[in-house]
Amino acid sequence: MKRHLKKVVLAMIAFVLCGVMNVTGSNVSLAATDVETEQTAELEAASTVKHVSARKLYHAGDYLYIETSKGVLAYNMKKQTAKYVVESDGVSGVLVHKGYLYYNLYQDSQMSIYKIKADGSSKPKQICKNGRLGFMKNNRLYYGHSGLCSMKLDGTDKKRHMRVKDDANGKVFYYKGNYYYSVFPYLTESYSVDSKFKHKKKYKPGNDKVNAAFVRAFDDMQYNESLTVRGYQYGTLIKNGKSSNSIYKYADSYYGKSTGKRNKKIYQSSKKKLRVLAACPGYIMIAESNKDASYENGTVKIINEKGKVLATLKKSQK
């Protein structure tokens, strides 16, 4: 119970520190905190800024997909080339599957789901007018809208497997034979249904079982919304109010993981400032600078989980 309480406290601290514009990364590793109203405010605020900032990182094949305040940037790891396959400041959430990129787009006070070829060679197609992108399972795309919904990958055959009367685009996730729906498990009511969609359960906010499923389900997915990857966290240590210029791999007992050491250093920067911008399984995006370690102004690098530099983004590629 103490661990879950700690997660709730961390989430609330993240909301206070980062506010509604959580688009410039963080020096600490915290769980995702995009409550429906917060996500709406963040996307609306992002449209008013002129700088470019990184939000999330995804991997598929030779490509890393970087969600920024300009859209979705596809970076080819082999060729070290980059181009925007989606250009919009309202993008929130991406999935890449069998050569196609699926993403949420917030516009006109509505969150829709779009599909486009992963290399950006096709025109965007709206496949769902209102819903939050979830996950792929058995060639169906699961999404949240007043409960658990799914559709074929072309947007047809839409089904609602579990109805929740909240008129919200909540998060949906799958863990150990159960499907879950919640706007934000730590703070709102959650719901689950078995794999045959017959037995529905309701949980109070902060339920231990749901919180554990939420954290582990997102940790196991193709992409990750926090800086926790495969049971480990990545970030800089903050001492006396100042952040170090090293990146550490944190052993989080919440996942039953261990690095052998409590904090294992994996990367040392020659610059004065360093920031972890985003992470996904196998890859961590960082920014370093003597002045401003941001996606826009810092030197952006991609490193692996051992700290080896795999790529450096040119300023013109951002």
Side-chain angles (χ1 to χ4, degrees):
M1 184 65 187
K2 291 182 178 179
R3 291 175 182 173
H4 296 301
L5 179 60
K6 178 182 177 183
K7 289 285 180 178
V8 175
V9 173
L10 287 176
M12 294 303 293
I13 292 173
F15 178 79
V16 173
L17 292 179
C18 300
V20 295
M21 282 195 59
N22 184 24
V23 294
T24 56
S26 175
N27 291 73
V28 293
S29 301
L30 300 170
T33 59
D34 51 336
V35 182
E36 184 78 5
T37 53
E38 178 191 347
Q39 180 75 4
T40 299
E42 174 186 330
L43 294 170
E44 288 178 340
S47 65
T48 66
V49 299
K50 296 182 179 179
H51 65 275
V52 184
S53 48
R55 295 173 183 160
K56 299 168 188 173
L57 184 68
Y58 314 84
H59 170 244
D62 294 334
Y63 285 88
L64 284 175
Y65 293 88
I66 303 171
E67 183 186 321
T68 80
S69 52
K70 284 178 60 178
V72 181
L73 179 72
Y75 183 82
N76 189 308
M77 295 287 287
K78 285 188 175 181
K79 298 180 179 179
Q80 295 190 354
T81 58
K83 74 171 185 177
Y84 273 92
V85 292
V86 178
E87 294 187 71
S88 173
D89 57 15
V91 173
S92 174
V94 172
L95 281 177
V96 184
H97 183 72
K98 294 184 178 180
Y100 283 89
L101 186 148
Y102 302 79
Y103 61 96
N104 267 133
L105 184 63
Y106 182 83
Q107 56 185 0
D108 300 325
S109 300
Q110 187 165 277
M111 185 176 286
S112 304
I113 300 175
Y114 283 79
K115 176 181 180 180
I116 190 174
K117 283 189 176 181
D119 61 3
S121 62
S122 66
K123 292 183 178 180
K125 177 185 177 182
Q126 186 187 87
I127 59 174
C128 181
K129 188 176 181 180
N130 202 358
R132 181 187 292 273
L133 198 64
F135 57 91
M136 303 283 187
K137 185 174 175 58
N138 298 328
N139 286 317
R140 292 188 69 86
L141 174 58
Y142 286 80
Y143 62 98
H145 177 64
S146 296
L148 173 72
C149 305
S150 77
M151 60 184 165
K152 289 184 177 179
L153 302 185
D154 60 0
T156 60
D157 190 32
K158 291 182 174 64
K159 296 180 180 179
R160 176 172 279 113
H161 305 288
M162 177 174 59
R163 181 179 292 278
V164 176
K165 297 180 180 180
D166 63 359
D167 196 31
N169 295 323
K171 289 180 176 294
V172 295
F173 48 101
Y174 178 84
Y175 187 69
K176 289 188 175 181
N178 287 303
Y179 295 86
Y180 293 86
Y181 171 89
S182 182
V183 173
F184 189 52
Y186 302 120
L187 302 176
T188 64
E189 292 177 338
S190 301
Y191 302 83
S192 73
V193 66
D194 66 291
S195 58
K196 294 184 179 180
F197 310 115
K198 291 184 177 181
H199 304 290
K200 177 182 175 182
K201 292 183 179 180
K202 182 179 179 180
Y203 305 88
K204 294 181 179 179
N207 178 272
D208 287 356
K209 179 181 178 180
V210 178
N211 289 350
F214 173 66
V215 174
R216 288 174 172 81
F218 276 86
D219 186 48
D220 291 340
M221 288 175 69
Q222 171 194 6
Y223 64 94
N224 200 284
E225 294 191 341
S226 69
L227 301 183
T228 303
V229 179
R230 291 173 178 159
Y232 298 105
Q233 298 186 36
Y234 297 86
T236 57
L237 289 178
I238 299 177
K239 295 181 179 180
N240 299 322
K242 293 183 178 181
S243 176
S244 68
N245 62 343
S246 302
I247 294 176
Y248 291 82
K249 182 177 183 178
Y250 298 81
D252 192 341
S253 59
Y254 183 83
Y255 298 88
K257 299 286 187 177
S258 173
T259 58
K261 298 179 180 179
R262 184 176 181 183
N263 301 315
K264 182 179 180 181
K265 184 189 293 186
I266 64 168
Y267 181 82
Q268 175 73 51
S269 176
S270 61
K271 303 295 183 180
K272 293 181 180 179
K273 295 185 177 181
L274 179 66
R275 174 175 291 185
V276 176
L277 299 173
C280 68
Y283 302 92
I284 304 161
M285 181 166 58
I286 66 173
E288 54 186 12
S289 172
N290 285 326
K291 294 183 178 180
D292 179 16
S294 66
Y295 179 82
E296 181 182 27
N297 299 317
T299 298
V300 176
K301 296 180 179 180
I302 305 296
I303 64 175
N304 64 15
E305 295 171 359
K306 294 183 178 180
K308 180 181 178 180
V309 177
L310 305 177
T312 301
L313 272 67
K314 299 177 182 178
K315 190 171 183 179
S316 60
Q317 292 179 323
K318 301 178 189 178

